[in-house]
Amino acid sequence: MDRNPVAAKKAILAAIVCHTFWGLSFMASRTALNTAPVLVLLSHRFLIAFLLMSLLLPLGVAEFRMKGKSLLPLLLLGLFEPVIYFFGEQYGILHSTTIFSGVMISMIPIAATLAAVPVLGEKPTGRQLFYSLLSVAGVIGIGLLSNGGGRLDWIGVAALLVAVFSAVAYTLLNRGLSGRYTAFERTYAMLAQGAAIFTPLALLSLRGDLAAYLHPFTVRSYTVSVLFLAVCCSVICYFLSSFVLTRLPVARATVFANLTTAVSVFAGAVFLREPFSAAGLLCCALILLGIYGVQRSART
């Protein structure tokens, strides 16, 4: 059993909420991208999220105290995610097949778990590795059941490798910084960097046309989608992600990433009327079984 089962249960609940929102984010992103290009969407998402978190400071709800602390680790954290990760993921999906991109992204929990052994000294149990692979198998199965659309070239492979590397680096760094920086401080720095990088790039892509930058907000579906992405998938999820990595070792925290795939499949079937078969249900069951097994197999 865990030394602090109450704290672990809170972290597990936070992880479930976080990755449920991220699973729904694919549907919201797809809707928003019908109105605005990727860079504009990312700019709106992280700028709104950063402004919302900034409002918490004068209200006294949260604090961002850097006295006696170095800003460099937080800047590095924000560089890994969201900046590098989103570039790698977006261009990787664009230049690869659905199956390949899904399989590559599903490797993040396993890669982070293995990397945590030499970097953080967190050694998973054999049962945890088995159940992690079981969860990954469910993700791969869903990828094989997809339409396999897209094309695979070296740009896609390189971009997805960058996404995996940045996600692993973010996970390890976030976990390592949990003793020195609060979850709010880590989240605030990440959102600030996302806004600071994506907004100039978005304006540059529009040749400085501010009217074109603001025009997507005239579309109601876009506004609703981007607010969901900013509030739920950025402010809430990144805060919860930092909280989870403070409470749980990497092996237990990262396996929940595969829950995102299961939620996105269910959301697509329910809200977008996408096909969903018994085989897809089995794959989702494997994902959930793997997540449950990793938590039950934690070291005493």
Side-chain angles (χ1 to χ4, degrees):
M1 297 296 290
D2 294 298
R3 294 178 180 177
N4 192 340
V6 175
K9 288 178 180 179
K10 288 181 179 179
I12 289 171
L13 178 61
I16 292 172
V17 173
C18 173
H19 289 284
T20 297
F21 278 146
W22 273 337
L24 296 173
S25 72
F26 292 98
M27 184 173 59
S29 294
R30 188 181 307 176
T31 300
L33 288 171
N34 290 328
T35 303
V38 172
L39 284 175
V40 173
L41 172 59
L42 290 175
S43 170
H44 289 161
R45 171 179 176 172
F46 287 102
L47 185 58
I48 293 172
F50 170 68
L51 292 175
L52 287 174
M53 288 205 81
S54 296
L55 290 176
L56 300 179
L57 297 175
L59 294 175
V61 178
E63 295 180 337
F64 187 75
R65 292 184 176 180
M66 294 304 298
K67 186 176 181 180
K69 300 178 183 178
S70 173
L71 188 61
L72 183 60
L74 292 183
L75 292 176
L76 192 60
L77 183 69
L79 183 63
F80 285 132
E81 190 157 338
V83 178
I84 294 178
Y85 176 79
F86 272 96
F87 275 120
E89 182 194 61
Q90 293 298 321
Y91 283 100
I93 292 174
L94 182 64
H95 290 275
S96 68
T97 64
T98 302
I99 295 174
F100 185 78
S101 59
V103 170
M104 287 293 291
I105 296 301
S106 73
M107 291 296 109
I108 293 173
I110 292 293
T113 298
L114 295 177
V117 177
V119 176
L120 300 175
E122 295 181 1
K123 187 176 180 180
T125 65
R127 288 171 63 88
Q128 283 183 314
L129 288 175
F130 168 77
Y131 281 112
S132 291
L133 289 171
L134 188 66
S135 186
V136 169
V139 175
I140 294 174
I142 289 175
L144 293 173
L145 292 172
S146 68
N147 57 26
R151 60 188 179 86
L152 179 63
D153 56 35
W154 69 269
I155 296 177
V157 174
L160 287 169
L161 285 173
V162 167
V164 171
F165 168 79
S166 64
V168 170
Y170 154 78
T171 300
L172 299 182
L173 184 58
N174 200 336
R175 173 72 172 162
L177 296 178
S178 62
R180 287 178 286 163
Y181 303 88
T182 66
F184 180 88
E185 289 167 347
R186 283 172 277 157
T187 305
Y188 189 67
M190 291 165 59
L191 298 181
Q193 198 153 338
I197 298 296
F198 291 127
T199 300
L201 290 176
L203 290 171
L204 185 63
S205 69
L206 297 173
R207 299 182 180 180
D209 189 341
L210 188 58
Y213 177 77
L214 296 175
H215 182 265
F217 289 107
T218 61
V219 180
R220 184 176 180 274
S221 61
Y222 178 85
T223 303
V224 172
S225 296
V226 81
L227 285 175
F228 174 76
L229 292 170
V231 177
C232 297
C233 302
S234 297
V235 174
I236 295 176
C237 283
Y238 276 122
F239 177 82
L240 291 179
S241 175
S242 293
F243 172 77
V244 171
L245 286 167
T246 300
R247 300 290 184 178
L248 296 179
V250 170
R252 296 184 64 184
T254 57
V255 72
F256 283 98
N258 293 328
L259 177 62
T260 300
T261 302
V263 172
S264 67
V265 169
F266 278 113
V270 174
F271 297 106
L272 301 179
R273 298 292 189 269
E274 293 180 347
F276 185 70
S277 63
L281 182 62
L282 176 61
C283 290
C284 288
L286 286 178
I287 292 173
L288 298 178
L289 177 60
I291 293 172
Y292 176 78
V294 168
Q295 306 309 313
R296 292 290 296 176
S297 304
R299 291 184 180 275
T300 56

